[in-house]
Amino acid sequence: MLVARGVDEEARQLQKQGALDLWLSCQGQEAAQVGSALAVGAEPTVFPAYREHAVALLRGVAPEELVAQWAGRTFCGWDPRRLRFFPYTLVLAAQTLHGVGYSIGQRLQGLEDFVVVYIGDGATSEGDMSEAMNLAAVESASVLFVCQNNGWAISKPAEEQMRTSLAERARGFGIESARVPGQDPEAVFAACSKAAAHVREQRAPYLVEIPVARIHGHSTSDAQEVYRSREDIAQAKAADPVSAYAARLSGLGLVDSAWFDAVDAEVRELRERLMKEYA
Ligand SMILES: Cc1ncc(C[n+]2csc(CCOP(=O)(O)OP(=O)(O)O)c2C)c(N)n1
Ligand SMILES: [Mg+2]
């Protein structure tokens, strides 16, 4: 979580300097991403949206590969086949159908068919998501949908987009689901472990909805102060999962300042690597 936070912050700075054209921050969503990624492990193929930076880093995407597309250097940046982490998908919800189709195709060939699809709350309003959930349910596809509900589709609040939770909507399609708060990586890990076991054992889809708090604007081109109350932004910052979990682990005596120093050094090195390559 600390590494993802550091890389994300460096990318934000690089964008301000004009080295990147755009950046979509994952700050506030690290616990949801790390908890879910660690719970599913290395086997499944992951179909991300576009801000799953912590998942990408855990999958082995190098920081300089992660930001390459945002500098306009390439379409993707990493090797999706080798890392089993597909390219970021900017066309909202397109990855849901790609993921379900991929899983079905893998099963037909007798290959690993466990697929994880990441999606935001706003993208679930796209027809593709409904088609993907229905197809996954009908075909009993081994797909875990992980929905990070950060409450916003750019400036459109989630409560203006839906009358039910995503977890409830999934059940309407015949997909089992759970809703777990995204501040605590251990709670996310537990819920996603259960979900992954369901997908593996039942060979059936599952949806986990994870409410998270988006700390920054939708992208570096978005001034969230225009449409979001000061209190709401302050609350998101106060609910920061990275500092909360760091404080919790320190309080329990599980990590000490030497451990934090070592992580800081790793983060500094990665940030310097990014600066050298892009600034
Ligand atoms: C098909 C399509 N329609 C509209 C857009 C413009 N757009 C980009 S991001 C976004 C909001 C997505 O919100 P959400 O799915 O909640 O993801 P978040 O950015 O909050 O992580 C919109 C409307 C797009 N990229 N693709
Ligand atoms: Mg959203």
Side-chain angles (χ1 to χ4, degrees), residues 24 29 50-51 90-92 119-124 126 148 150 152-154 161 214 218:
L24 294 112
Q29 306 189 193
Y50 45 71
R51 66 170 97 244
L90 278 289
V91 181
L92 292 181
I119 183 132
D121 48 288
T124 68
E126 295 285 340
Q148 294 171 86
N150 63 12
W152 296 95
I154 311 183
Q161 289 205 69
R214 191 187 82 190
H218 168 75

Side-chain angles (χ1 to χ4, degrees), residues 14 28 34 37 41 88 159-160 162 200 224 258 270:
L14 286 169
V34 170
Y88 277 160
E159 58 269 21
E160 288 178 20
M162 54 193 87
R200 283 203 178 95
Q224 64 175 348
L270 293 176

Side-chain angles (χ1 to χ4, degrees), residues 132-166:
M133 284 198 287
N134 192 51
L135 183 62
V138 164
E139 295 291 332
S140 198
S142 300
V143 175
L144 172 60
F145 295 97
V146 177
C147 177
Q148 294 171 86
N149 184 346
N150 63 12
W152 296 95
I154 311 183
S155 55
K156 185 82 170 167
E159 58 269 21
E160 288 178 20
Q161 289 205 69
M162 54 193 87
R163 292 284 175 255
T164 64
S165 70
L166 270 325

Side-chain angles (χ1 to χ4, degrees), residues 83-140:
L83 300 177
R84 293 197 303 289
F85 185 79
F86 265 63
Y88 277 160
T89 307
L90 278 289
V91 181
L92 292 181
Q95 78 276 15
T96 61
L97 284 168
H98 299 164
V100 175
Y102 184 88
S103 174
I104 293 170
Q106 289 284 101
R107 186 181 290 178
L108 287 172
Q109 297 174 81
L111 301 170
E112 170 65 63
D113 64 347
F114 187 2
V115 160
V116 181
V117 172
Y118 282 89
I119 183 132
D121 48 288
T124 68
S125 300
E126 295 285 340
D128 280 7
M129 177 63 173
S130 293
E131 292 174 32
M133 284 198 287
N134 192 51
L135 183 62
V138 164
E139 295 291 332
S140 198

Side-chain angles (χ1 to χ4, degrees), residues 5-272:
R5 175 62 59 92
V7 168
D8 188 278
E9 189 51 34
E10 190 55 43
R12 276 168 36 83
Q13 300 303 326
L14 286 169
Q15 197 284 331
K16 280 187 195 161
Q17 293 164 28
L20 304 185
D21 302 305
L22 187 75
W23 185 250
L24 294 112
S25 167
C26 72
Q27 293 186 29
Q29 306 189 193
E30 292 93 341
Q33 296 188 7
V34 170
S36 59
L38 291 180
V40 301
E43 284 85 38
T45 299
V46 176
F47 287 75
Y50 45 71
R51 66 170 97 244
E52 280 68 45
H53 311 318
V55 184
L57 292 166
L58 276 170
R59 269 304 169 107
V61 175
E64 53 272 27
E65 294 175 330
L66 185 65
V67 308
Q69 97 180 90
W70 308 97
R73 290 191 182 183
T74 172
F75 289 120
C76 178
W78 54 88
D79 181 344
R81 283 187 190 281
R82 187 174 62 80
L83 300 177
R84 293 197 303 289
F85 185 79
F86 265 63
Y88 277 160
T89 307
L90 278 289
V91 181
L92 292 181
Q95 78 276 15
T96 61
L97 284 168
H98 299 164
V100 175
Y102 184 88
S103 174
I104 293 170
Q106 289 284 101
R107 186 181 290 178
L108 287 172
Q109 297 174 81
L111 301 170
E112 170 65 63
D113 64 347
F114 187 2
V115 160
V116 181
V117 172
Y118 282 89
I119 183 132
D121 48 288
T124 68
S125 300
E126 295 285 340
D128 280 7
M129 177 63 173
S130 293
E131 292 174 32
M133 284 198 287
N134 192 51
L135 183 62
V138 164
E139 295 291 332
S140 198
S142 300
V143 175
L144 172 60
F145 295 97
V146 177
C147 177
Q148 294 171 86
N149 184 346
N150 63 12
W152 296 95
I154 311 183
S155 55
K156 185 82 170 167
E159 58 269 21
E160 288 178 20
Q161 289 205 69
M162 54 193 87
R163 292 284 175 255
T164 64
S165 70
L166 270 325
E168 203 177 337
R169 197 192 305 170
R171 288 193 282 273
F173 283 92
I175 296 179
E176 287 202 31
S177 63
R179 196 164 196 264
V180 59
Q183 251 55 52
D184 175 4
E186 291 179 21
V188 173
F189 180 85
C192 290
S193 298
K194 215 175 124 200
H198 176 95
V199 172
R200 283 203 178 95
E201 286 155 22
Q202 308 296 319
R203 305 193 84 196
Y206 198 100
L207 182 142
V208 180
E209 178 181 6
I210 313 177
V212 289
R214 191 187 82 190
I215 289 179
H216 296 293
H218 168 75
S219 75
T220 45
S221 298
D222 175 44
Q224 64 175 348
E225 297 75 18
V226 173
Y227 58 82
R228 203 173 164 190
S229 74
R230 230 184 275 176
E231 296 73 41
D232 189 32
I233 296 171
Q235 259 172 26
K237 286 185 180 152
D240 176 14
V242 181
S243 49
Y245 196 53
R248 179 151 153 241
L249 293 185
S250 310
L252 289 169
L254 293 171
V255 294
D256 57 14
S257 57
W259 185 85
F260 281 110
D261 289 347
V263 178
D264 274 352
E266 185 186 342
V267 170
R268 229 185 353 262
E269 195 198 313
L270 293 176
R271 292 184 67 152
E272 274 161 21

